[in-house]
Amino acid sequence: KLQTEEVEVFSTPSYACQRRTTLDNHNAVLTDALSLLAENAELSGEDGRGVAFRRAAAALKALPLPVTRLTQLGGVPCLGGHSLRVIKDVLESGASPEVEALRRSERFKALKVLTGIFGVGVKTAGRWIGEGILTLRQLRDSGPTLNRAQRAGLRHYDDLNRPVGRAEAAAVAAVVEAAAGSVLPGARVTLIGGFRRGKQTGHDVDFLITHPEEGREAGLMPKLVSWLDSQGFLLYQKTNSNSYLEAAEGPARPASNMDRFERCFSVFKLPEEAGRGGAGAGGEGGPRPWRAVRVDLVVSPVSQFAFALLGWTGSKLFERELRRWAGHEMNMCLSSHALYDHRQSRYLRASSEEEIFAHLGLEYIPPSERNA
Ligand code: TTP
Ligand code: MN
Ligand code: MN
Ligand code: MN
């Protein structure tokens, strides 16, 4: 008896912000390969190629089942020739020669190690590699001048490259809430970034802070930082002051609206609770009583809170796709501060993420389904 084998053909909308992407990825082998190529492109300063691979990986993350044949991908967007070749190799032989060669490449390994230092970007890492510095040891020995962030990054390298767990994120949250409550009673602290999307670990912990009374949040960051510092919680911090003025700037420079809140990049000294201080924290003298954790703090006026919440919850690709959708499909300009409608020549107000999705003509996607 002849049986036709049924193979599902997948299809999914083309913008990541039109799709529901949970952490339950059925195509991790494929998306890991594409993400590695994306990472390499980004580390080589080829951002356009990086985005193309990120989009391809994100389209596969949204599929409900593992892909087994190339013919199933007919309705899947964002797959260019290069991505399809990699997918084909992985489906046929379990691995892509290009990706495996990349994994072994000295340059890629060096770029990962060096940009793994907090404060070291792609350009600095590339310059050091050009000078023959490929490892942390060579960096320490040859001693190029490091700035304050890089010195902290090198000093706490192991801690900062160890994933932060949910329990640790909760411990940081308790500290930030105590700080906010002490310097501005009534201030509200919200966990954002990957942990808000439901991730079990992160490379840092991100918080958005506001106050229900507009204006009361002004000048909060310096007070917060000095409280944290006085209590011994800070190993490093760099604060940027708010420079966003809606009326003065308008929607003209949307991309640069990205970091105009009061914002603090920091490294916390987080006390390790008894019973979970062991793993990885040890030096010669046994477990240390604390570990270093990267923490990002953002302060927003309550009138911009929904935009800030949406803009800082991620994923990075989901955010990028939201802004692309707004611009290309709606003739609007979305930032973490506001949504401007070019057709109506006015700002569209919102006090919740749901309202922003509605303004954008998109179905609401909750944080746990923004893991594109
Ligand atoms: P990250 O902390 O870099 O990423 P993450 O929390 O999604 O992942 P991880 O677990 O590795 O920490 O960024 C958090 C979000 O903030 C992300 O969606 C991008 C966004 N963001 C910036 O990073 N910079 C900005 O200036 C703005 C406005 C948003
Ligand atoms: Mn599933
Ligand atoms: Mn984060
Ligand atoms: Mn962050």
Side-chain angles (χ1 to χ4, degrees), residues 40 72 87 116 118 166 171 181 188 240 285 294 316 328 368:
N40 182 53
Q72 293 177 286
I87 294 168
F118 171 62
R166 289 200 82 93
R188 286 190 204 149
N240 297 335
R294 274 271 299 114
K316 284 196 184 83
H328 290 200
S368 62

Side-chain angles (χ1 to χ4, degrees), residues 27 30 36 48 68 78 98 103 107 118 129 142 148 155 167 199 213 240 261 280 303 305 308 313 318 335 347 370:
N27 289 283
L30 294 174
L36 205 78
T68 55
C78 310
E98 182 188 6
R103 267 189 231 283
R107 182 183 164 80
F118 171 62
I129 290 171
S142 65
R148 204 168 56 87
R155 192 176 309 128
K199 283 178 61 181
E213 229 176 289
N240 297 335
F261 288 114
S303 62
F305 181 79
T313 294
F318 192 91
S335 75
Y347 286 95
R370 296 180 202 159

Side-chain angles (χ1 to χ4, degrees), residues 4-26:
T4 22
E5 203 183 333
E6 281 189 36
V7 180
E8 184 171 355
V9 176
F10 299 114
S11 85
T12 185
S14 56
Y15 287 84
C17 54
Q18 298 173 287
R19 308 190 290 251
R20 296 177 183 273
T21 313
T22 65
L23 289 165
D24 179 25
N25 177 0
H26 301 275

Side-chain angles (χ1 to χ4, degrees), residues 275-335:
R276 63 170 179 78
E284 301 301 281
R288 298 202 326 250
W290 58 270
R291 70 163 287 186
V293 178
R294 274 271 299 114
V295 177
D296 284 338
L297 304 172
V298 187
V299 171
S300 118
V302 70
S303 62
Q304 298 173 18
F305 181 79
F307 295 98
L309 186 60
L310 180 58
W312 286 86
T313 294
S315 68
K316 284 196 184 83
L317 186 77
F318 192 91
E319 304 293 344
R320 174 184 275 276
E321 294 280 278
L322 270 177
R323 296 194 299 270
R324 189 165 70 95
W325 168 272
H328 290 200
E329 306 295 329
M330 302 301 288
N331 198 11
M332 293 179 184
C333 176
L334 174 68
S335 75

Side-chain angles (χ1 to χ4, degrees), residues 167-188:
E168 289 167 325
V172 176
V175 171
V176 173
E177 274 156 18
S182 162
V183 301
L184 180 63
R188 286 190 204 149

Side-chain angles (χ1 to χ4, degrees), residues 17-69:
C17 54
Q18 298 173 287
R19 308 190 290 251
R20 296 177 183 273
T21 313
T22 65
L23 289 165
D24 179 25
N25 177 0
H26 301 275
N27 289 283
V29 178
L30 294 174
T31 61
D32 285 353
L34 294 168
S35 300
L36 205 78
L37 294 174
E39 198 180 358
N40 182 53
E42 289 157 2
L43 290 174
S44 309
E46 300 170 43
D47 291 345
R49 270 162 50 82
V51 172
F53 286 125
R54 295 270 175 221
R55 281 205 192 114
L60 299 181
K61 282 183 199 171
L63 304 183
L65 291 168
V67 174
T68 55
R69 299 164 184 225

Side-chain angles (χ1 to χ4, degrees), residues 115-119 156-166 168-169 192-195 197 199-206 263 265-268 291-296 312 316:
T115 58
I117 304 168
F118 171 62
H156 304 294
Y157 186 85
D158 290 340
D159 271 0
L160 298 183
N161 282 282
R162 185 152 57 90
V164 183
R166 289 200 82 93
E168 289 167 325
I192 49 175
F195 286 110
R197 301 197 307 277
K199 283 178 61 181
Q200 291 304 314
T201 61
H203 94 284
D204 68 356
V205 195
D206 309 284
R263 179 172 178 182
F265 303 90
S266 72
V267 178
F268 266 45
R291 70 163 287 186
V293 178
R294 274 271 299 114
V295 177
D296 284 338
W312 286 86
K316 284 196 184 83

